[in-house]
Amino acid sequence: MSVTAIIGAQWGDEGKGKIIDLLAQEADFVIRFNGGANAGHTVVNEYGISRFHLIPSGIFNPRVTCIIGGGVLVDLETLLEEIESLREKGVDTTGRLLVSQRCHVVMPYHRLLDRLYEAAKGKSSVGTTGRGIGPTYADKVSYNGIRLADMADESVFAEKLGMQLSVKNRLIAALGEEPLSLEQIFSQYRSLYAVLAPFICEPFPIVQKALAENKRILLEGAQGTLLDPDWGTYPFCTASTTLANEGTSGAGIPPAEIKRVVGVVKAYTTRVGHGPMPTELSDETGELLREFGAERGVTTGRPRRCGWFDAEIARFSAMLNGFTEMALTKLDVLDQFAEIEIAVGYEVDGKRVHYVDGDAQFLSHCRPIYEKMPGWRTSIQGAKSFADLPSAAQDYVRRLEELIGVPITIVSVGPERGQTIRR
Ligand code: GDP
Ligand code: IMO
Ligand code: MG
């Protein structure tokens, strides 16, 4: 089993970064395949706290080659900052970080348009991260994108950028902003490209060789299943596919190679940005979850919306992605609660319904059906094995497993790499 996909099972921020850093200790390659710098993946290990928007979270294992696959949108400034901050920590990425020439580049007009569209939509805005993700993917699929490969040749880049700005500036002016300068963007992006050029290549032959040699490959998903544009809460979602299958086009991996799919799921539910969230708690319990879980967005610093575990969406994610196992994170955040609730399903007007029955509008009418379990009211952050957990915590994990329908093989009890139980 050489290829493992690690996928968020909720609305993102499930703790994928932590799980990748852990599993990367037993891997040869870690590949990002979707999203862009809207992702914010946290890793806590011997190098302190690190937050990645683009660089794969397996970078701390010196034996691992990290690849940013062609399905990812690259923000050149963010990428450079991450390489620099790793260098400051003594981590050299040279030769170990490969960026696909197929990646589309986020341009300043994408970030600006992201902001302008959001402002124009007012109260029906999505609550994006402001990283230009929607506009850049929109350009990709409407044949207006600029890829890293285009930037290698000065005249090709100048021609494409000029063409795009001639259109984008009309749009920007119509939305009431000052047009952007071609010369300024061109020279800034040429300099950024020159610094990053040594990392840019075509990783396909390297990935093929790794597959042939049965190397251990991790596919690092960004965002979460419920943010998928097809199966998530559209239009309150992100722009690229967040599901396990995207590893194929986004990383250049044949579908049949992905044998293991690990769903990462938080022991409760969070969401950042707008859109329906049936188990959201706007009371004191929600506040406590936010406080104990330090629930603030890595990319935007926004407070995350919090609520009890939603088994309806976790089960749906498991079916859709074909999770072969689950990694349960942040169980320790529930340490202080006397009673814990789980949404086992939904109802509308007294009738049992499912997530998949409707759209975001429908979901906003769904009421969770709760079940209560006793809490354990003691710290579990030091637990090293499943048997170390209080019986109430063990029961909670088993109940979630039963409701999701997939074995929970990893239980995370703290942010650090070592605070993890393998079952
Ligand atoms: P990602 O986007 O899925 O990688 O998740 P984020 O990094 O955005 O958010 C997860 C947050 O929870 C980070 O601050 C992690 O350091 C933290 N975290 C991960 N696992 C655990 C855990 O088991 N317990 C606690 N208390 N924090 C955790
Ligand atoms: P990680 O990988 C949580 C959300 C935004 C917004 C919607 C669209 O850290 O789990 P976008 O900027 O993508 O156009 O925003 O998607 N979103 C995330 N929420 N975690 C993420 O990534 C997210 N990436 C995007 O908050 O609701
Ligand atoms: Mg995150």
Side-chain angles (χ1 to χ4, degrees), residues 299-318:
T299 303
T300 58
R302 290 178 292 181
R304 294 174 182 152
R305 301 156 63 192
C306 297
W308 294 120
F309 189 84
D310 185 336
E312 174 68 27
I313 63 165
R315 192 164 47 229
F316 168 73
S317 289

Side-chain angles (χ1 to χ4, degrees), residues 174-190:
L175 291 166
E177 281 279 330
E178 287 296 308
L180 302 178
S181 150
L182 172 62
E183 291 69 33
Q184 204 182 321
I185 300 178
F186 180 78
S187 75
Q188 186 197 356
Y189 276 65
R190 279 296 295 172

